[in-house]
Amino acid sequence: MAKDELMNYEKALEMFEVVIGLEVHVELNTKTKMFCGCRNEFGDEPNTNVCPICIALPGALPAVNRTAVESSISIGLALGCEIAPNGRFARKNYFYPDLAKNFQTSQYDEPIAFNGELTVELPSGSVHTVQIERAHMEEDAGKLTHIGGSTGRIQGAEYSLVDYNRAGVPLVEIVTRPVYGAGAEAPELAAAYVRSIREIVKGLGVSDARMERGNVRCDANVSLRPHGQEKLGTRTETKNVNSLRSIERAVRYEIQRQAALLAKGTAIVQETRHWHEDKGATSAGRPKSDADDYRYFPEPDLVPVQPSKELIESLRAKLPEKPADRRKRVQAEWGFADLEFRDVVNADLLDQIEETVKAGAKPQAARKWWTGELARIANSQDKDVTELEISGAYVAELAQLVDAGKLNDRLAREVLTYVLNGEGSPAEIVAARGLEVVSDDGALIAAIDAALAKQPDVLDAIREGRMQAAGAVIGAVMQAMKGSADAGRVRELLIEKANAS
Ligand SMILES: [Zn+2]
């Protein structure tokens, strides 16, 4: 991969205005696929959830999944869209090995939802309203796995495997209009927008919304133009970026790469690009013109989708609270300061903290565990904190054990590592490993006496007010008790002893 020349980010923004556009694919979590009765389930044995319809045997006839239509309408309504009273599916013709039909059944000029908007808040606190052009229904393709290459991509691979379990899984594609005016915060805006989409579809319960599983994927369009120029610059489309952090990085990279080319007078190639998380760079995919001709034509095997007013209104009545409203509500309920709350939102931890608080933890304790020790562990494993295998209920249990004095901070952190190793709940681990803080004064006094036998001058020092001398004894006791003593209690007992003798 040739190394791109990048312009300094600040300089790029001085020279150019950034325009972005985002296409987000949301995989719906319906029980069955979009046009057949096959199971829609991630992780099943390859090619077990297939039938003549989704592998396109001759003569097989599709039928539209009602739940998928309802989920799509709900997404449209949550984005403030109008809902089309009548919409046809179309065939988008192209060949790809994971698309057995040689066309994708999609919506073309009659999307189910259009003309919406979504207001998103950036890490800096600034607020942007993103215009939504459309949200349309389509089906996913199968999954190709390329074997033998070093990168997992087709280049250098010896052969490829295809799994059609995902072929025909319902998707909703949400397309924005060009987004202007974010300036230096365009990368953050892209990530914040996708985060909000994810919150919405999760809140609606229509998608599992797990980016690492590809339930939510983003194509990020980026173009630059000199300040004051009306005509949009040539754009690139970075495909299938699947984490919020990667979206932010990919947009920033494209800004710097395109700026360097434009400053030299080199034209931008209109193309798709791939994001490489390991290299922190994009690379060229295929050329993409605005006039890609997919020979769209109306799907003759499906009747048009015609949702009734009653159906639309009943779905509207069931919409959950908007992400912005939910944030205001939980921040007030938890009593977090603005900065604390922004950290939580930026780390994508609202759901986790809500779950932890519901399970009985104090909000501040929940916040500290998630943004502190758990974030640190995730970071050291190069993971997102939300990917850690721990539930809010377990974090709450841990916090409660600390509150009850059964664990000190050090022991709690130790218990946490065992929880993350899958050894069970915090209480089970404390019991199984005998990790509880020793609160039995008798055991502590015995350990103090043993330590004093080796450092007999310490009691005199304490009586003379030289408290730093106590540290050595407390340290020795903690070591003898393998960290399971409450240091505060050891100190109290030591002072009592000094004053009594
Ligand atoms: Zn099927």
Side-chain angles (χ1 to χ4, degrees):
M1 207 168 99
K3 213 165 159 43
D4 294 311
E5 195 183 316
L6 301 182
M7 184 185 281
N8 168 281
Y9 190 66
E10 284 69 32
K11 191 174 166 211
L13 289 156
E14 265 169 43
M15 291 183 70
F16 300 103
E17 183 196 351
V18 181
V19 181
I20 59 173
L22 301 159
E23 294 166 28
V24 175
H25 285 90
V26 176
E27 237 177 40
L28 301 180
N29 59 2
T30 49
K31 288 200 178 68
T32 57
K33 294 187 182 180
M34 187 76 214
F35 302 113
C36 64
C38 290
R39 238 159 82 91
N40 169 20
E41 187 67 50
F42 180 89
D44 279 355
E45 214 29 44
N47 297 309
T48 51
N49 299 330
V50 293
C51 75
I53 295 169
C54 54
I55 54 173
L57 297 186
L61 285 173
V64 177
N65 180 330
R66 181 188 172 90
T67 308
V69 172
E70 292 180 356
S71 299
S72 307
I73 294 173
S74 295
I75 291 173
L77 292 171
L79 295 170
C81 290
E82 298 171 48
I83 304 300
N86 185 49
R88 278 178 306 178
F89 281 96
R91 291 187 178 185
K92 180 183 184 182
N93 293 281
Y94 65 99
F95 170 78
Y96 211 67
D98 58 9
L99 187 76
K101 302 199 297 197
N102 285 347
F103 62 84
Q104 180 189 32
T105 309
S106 177
Q107 289 188 304
Y108 178 48
D109 50 354
E110 299 174 39
I112 189 146
F114 53 97
N115 283 348
E117 61 177 40
L118 179 60
T119 300
V120 294
E121 192 182 339
L122 306 197
S124 66
S126 70
V127 172
H128 290 260
T129 299
V130 176
Q131 301 298 321
I132 312 278
E133 183 185 296
R134 56 193 274 142
H136 68 256
M137 296 183 278
E138 59 183 35
E139 59 179 338
D140 213 343
K143 188 178 186 330
L144 287 170
T145 307
H146 306 295
I147 309 291
S150 57
T151 60
R153 292 188 182 271
I154 195 164
Q155 291 85 355
E158 287 167 33
Y159 60 95
S160 300
L161 299 170
V162 61
D163 173 9
Y164 286 112
N165 282 354
R166 200 178 65 185
V169 164
L171 290 180
V172 174
E173 179 174 345
I174 303 162
V175 183
T176 68
R177 296 188 194 285
V179 183
Y180 309 96
E185 291 186 310
E188 286 84 356
L189 174 56
Y193 169 80
V194 177
R195 172 182 288 134
S196 289
I197 294 278
R198 219 181 52 179
E199 282 176 30
I200 285 175
V201 297
K202 239 163 113 174
L204 287 167
V206 298
S207 171
D208 296 343
R210 292 179 65 165
M211 294 191 80
E212 74 279 10
R213 287 188 175 179
N215 297 149
V216 174
R217 321 193 277 266
C218 175
D219 300 342
N221 290 276
V222 176
S223 71
L224 302 182
R225 61 182 176 185
H227 291 287
Q229 177 183 304
E230 198 169 329
K231 189 169 176 287
L232 287 173
T234 303
R235 66 191 158 83
T236 60
E237 179 181 345
T238 305
K239 302 287 286 180
N240 289 330
V241 191
N242 65 359
S243 80
L244 295 174
R245 196 166 72 121
S246 301
I247 291 166
E248 203 173 310
R249 293 177 73 199
V251 171
R252 183 178 295 264
Y253 184 89
E254 274 302 286
I255 292 170
Q256 292 181 269
R257 186 186 70 85
Q258 292 184 18
L261 289 171
L262 291 170
K264 281 195 303 191
T266 309
I268 303 300
V269 180
Q270 187 163 334
E271 63 188 358
T272 65
R273 297 188 68 86
H274 302 293
W275 170 249
H276 306 272
E277 182 65 38
D278 51 341
K279 299 190 181 77
T282 63
S283 69
R286 60 183 163 88
K288 191 176 184 187
S289 79
D290 286 324
D292 277 342
D293 192 347
Y294 290 109
R295 297 282 173 205
Y296 277 101
F297 66 85
E299 166 60 63
D301 289 338
L302 289 168
V303 292
V305 173
Q306 296 175 317
S308 67
K309 277 211 177 74
E310 293 72 35
L311 174 67
I312 295 170
E313 290 318 310
S314 76
L315 291 168
R316 194 193 303 278
K318 279 188 252 167
L319 290 181
E321 74 185 321
K322 290 183 176 154
D325 296 343
R326 175 190 177 211
R327 287 185 196 168
K328 278 202 198 95
R329 175 178 58 80
V330 295
Q331 183 180 357
E333 282 173 11
W334 297 342
F336 288 1
D338 286 350
L339 266 181
E340 290 172 344
F341 192 67
R342 209 169 286 164
D343 279 350
V344 167
V345 170
N346 292 336
D348 229 8
L349 286 169
L350 277 185
D351 288 348
Q352 281 74 6
I353 291 180
E354 189 164 45
E355 194 194 334
T356 308
V357 171
K358 265 191 193 146
K362 291 177 185 148
Q364 284 294 0
R367 185 185 65 80
K368 279 182 196 146
W369 278 108
W370 282 104
T371 61
E373 184 65 8
L374 285 161
R376 191 192 62 74
I377 292 170
N379 201 30
S380 72
Q381 298 174 0
D382 215 16
K383 275 188 189 163
D384 215 73
V385 61
T386 54
E387 290 172 55
L388 293 178
E389 293 287 333
I390 186 166
S391 66
Y394 279 7
V395 177
E397 196 174 302
L398 193 64
Q400 285 164 332
L401 287 167
V402 173
D403 271 354
K406 294 197 169 154
L407 291 177
N408 58 23
D409 278 353
R410 199 201 62 78
L411 283 173
R413 284 198 297 273
E414 187 180 341
V415 169
L416 188 58
T417 60
Y418 301 133
V419 173
L420 291 169
N421 284 343
E423 290 188 20
S425 80
E428 285 163 4
I429 290 166
V430 166
R433 288 184 170 260
L435 285 171
E436 204 162 319
V437 164
V438 175
S439 52
D440 166 12
D441 284 352
L444 295 178
I445 289 166
I448 290 170
D449 287 342
L452 284 173
K454 289 181 194 151
Q455 304 176 69
D457 303 336
V458 168
L459 287 183
D460 283 339
I462 293 173
R463 276 192 288 268
E464 287 159 21
R466 285 184 284 122
M467 285 308 297
Q468 65 272 29
V473 170
I474 296 170
V477 171
M478 292 302 281
Q479 203 175 9
M481 311 287 291
K482 298 196 171 58
S484 62
D486 174 350
R489 184 65 189 142
V490 175
R491 186 184 164 89
E492 281 170 16
L493 289 170
L494 185 58
I495 292 170
E496 272 172 33
K497 196 171 183 67
N499 293 333
S501 53

